[in-house]
Amino acid sequence: MKKKLSLRLTALALALTLALGCAGCGAAPAPGSGSAPASVPASQPASEPAGEAGSLTLTDQAGRTVELAAPAETVVSGYYISTYAVLALGKGDAVVGLEKKADTRSLYQMAAPELIEKPGVGTMKEMDVEAVAALEPDLVILPAALTDYADTLAELGIPALVVAPESHEALVEMIELLGKALGAEDAAAALTGYYDEQLERMAALTEGAEKPTVYMASNSSYLSCAPAAMYQNYLVETAGGVNAAASLEGDYWTEVSYEDILAMAPEVIVVPSGAEYTAADVLADAQLAGVPAVENGKVYQMPAGLEEWDSPIPSGILGCLWLTSVLHPEQYPFEEFVADAADFYQTFYGFAVDESLITK
């Protein structure tokens, strides 16, 4: 890298460090927390064409205006959810750098193993600006937690889009935004259209059916659950259930006591795929013996072989379908869900999934 650019990067990095230090930022909510950071508006228009032929003016999910001379052909994605979206839009070849620890993502190993060898340039807490600049990307995609880096990159002449897919609606907005930025609007329309089709289908299948009470436990402990403001509440309601913890306040995992769970009396308990415990652990806990879900053996763990479908990722719709098959097996048999999930990965990620990964 030229000396001039190196000096400029050093100065910008120092300025960014000072800015972040003065801001006193707290930890950003994890994907699926149900709330975007306070600095991110709830909804923004995706884009409008600029004056020059082929150029774009985009509004990202932090409300920033971003100019692109043309749809991006090379991309750095600093966020696994945006990388997943780029893959689903058929633009995996455009990725020249991505988030660190890509080798821990099962989806990359199955859909695009070449990504594992690409440079890792950041985490949810920080980004290596100099490493990004060395890749000379047409576009950088950042999570909301790294919004401050967007302006730093802009000063280097590198456009950056901030995304915040913290709900289904925000996920759809992000996909549409990236579709425009990457020249993949048809692919984005196909993906969001699939969501609409499946949501309408599930609503029709479960119309008039009894709605079981569902307790969505957290990854860390089954004495922690999802209140109404979280994405998991959307999953439960979409699948034709009622969130047992809907009356709890907050927009993140909320600790509860055994007495609280007994009072909620959930008919179904869902253990997320990334949990540090198993459904068997819940069933074996004597203090939960009086909970209807435990009494009737209706404690289920989401499939753990692929992705965490209880979060707003491009394949998050499969979480809705899976839970519908659990709550309403007569209307939507599990075997039908397995076929639908396999079709999703073939259609949007281009690989034949091992169906055992869906069922375990």
Side-chain angles (χ1 to χ4, degrees):
M1 182 171 294
K2 294 181 179 180
K3 182 176 181 181
K4 183 177 179 181
L5 177 59
S6 179
L7 291 173
R8 194 175 184 189
L9 285 167
T10 301
L12 286 169
L14 177 59
L16 180 62
T17 300
L18 292 174
L20 290 173
C22 292
C25 298
S33 67
S35 64
S39 61
V40 180
S43 179
Q44 294 290 340
S47 73
E48 289 295 335
E52 297 182 22
S55 62
L56 297 171
T57 299
L58 307 172
T59 302
D60 70 12
Q61 291 184 293
R64 300 170 56 258
T65 299
V66 180
E67 303 282 349
L68 291 179
E73 295 183 0
T74 56
V75 177
V76 167
S77 174
Y79 189 24
Y80 76 95
I81 293 182
S82 58
T83 309
Y84 286 179
V86 172
L87 285 177
L89 295 177
K91 292 293 184 176
D93 290 344
V95 178
V96 294
L98 69 169
E99 74 282 357
K100 293 182 178 180
K101 297 184 179 180
D103 59 345
T104 66
R105 304 287 178 187
S106 298
L107 182 64
Y108 298 153
Q109 296 171 12
M110 291 179 280
E114 66 276 7
L115 288 185
I116 297 173
E117 304 303 321
K118 301 290 184 180
V121 297
T123 68
M124 285 293 291
K125 295 182 179 180
E126 61 183 3
M127 173 161 280
D128 186 338
V129 175
E130 188 165 355
V132 172
L135 296 171
E136 300 182 347
D138 295 333
L139 177 67
V140 176
I141 309 168
L142 298 170
L146 301 183
T147 299
D148 288 329
Y149 285 89
D151 293 334
T152 302
L153 291 166
E155 291 186 42
L156 294 173
I158 303 173
L161 286 175
V162 176
V163 297
E166 292 294 334
S167 66
H168 177 72
E169 293 75 17
L171 173 67
V172 168
E173 183 182 86
M174 180 193 76
I175 289 168
E176 293 174 342
L177 174 65
L178 295 182
K180 296 187 183 214
L182 300 172
E185 292 178 82
D186 288 347
L191 182 54
T192 59
Y194 177 87
Y195 296 159
D196 292 340
E197 177 185 336
Q198 296 305 320
L199 292 173
E200 290 175 7
R201 177 187 173 204
M202 293 304 106
L205 285 174
T206 60
E207 185 177 5
E210 185 177 346
K211 296 184 176 183
T213 303
V214 182
Y215 179 91
M216 288 288 300
S218 75
N219 282 333
S220 60
S221 169
Y222 50 82
L223 292 179
S224 178
C225 61
M230 290 186 70
Y231 174 81
Q232 285 76 4
N233 181 80
Y234 167 82
L235 188 156
V236 171
E237 292 183 346
T238 300
V242 176
N243 183 5
S247 63
L248 298 180
E249 296 182 358
D251 57 8
Y252 199 61
W253 298 110
T254 301
E255 291 186 8
V256 293
S257 64
Y258 283 107
E259 290 74 17
D260 291 330
I261 300 176
L262 287 166
M264 292 178 189
E267 298 167 85
V268 174
I269 294 176
V270 175
V271 177
S273 58
E276 299 173 4
Y277 55 94
T278 66
D281 294 330
V282 177
L283 290 167
D285 192 329
Q287 297 188 71
L288 295 175
V291 175
V294 174
E295 289 179 332
N296 298 317
K298 293 189 175 183
V299 179
Y300 304 94
Q301 182 150 14
M302 300 187 79
L306 285 162
E307 303 176 80
E308 295 186 14
W309 294 333
D310 63 322
S311 58
I313 56 179
S315 62
I317 187 68
L318 298 181
C320 297
L321 299 183
W322 174 83
L323 188 54
T324 301
S325 74
V326 168
L327 302 183
H328 304 284
E330 294 184 1
Q331 290 85 351
Y332 184 49
F334 183 72
E335 294 76 15
E336 191 172 345
F337 160 72
V338 172
D340 287 338
D343 180 67
F344 176 90
Y345 283 107
Q346 183 66 67
T347 300
F348 295 105
Y349 287 103
F351 71 94
V353 68
D354 179 349
E355 292 188 0
S356 69
L357 298 177
I358 303 172
T359 57
K360 72 177 183 180

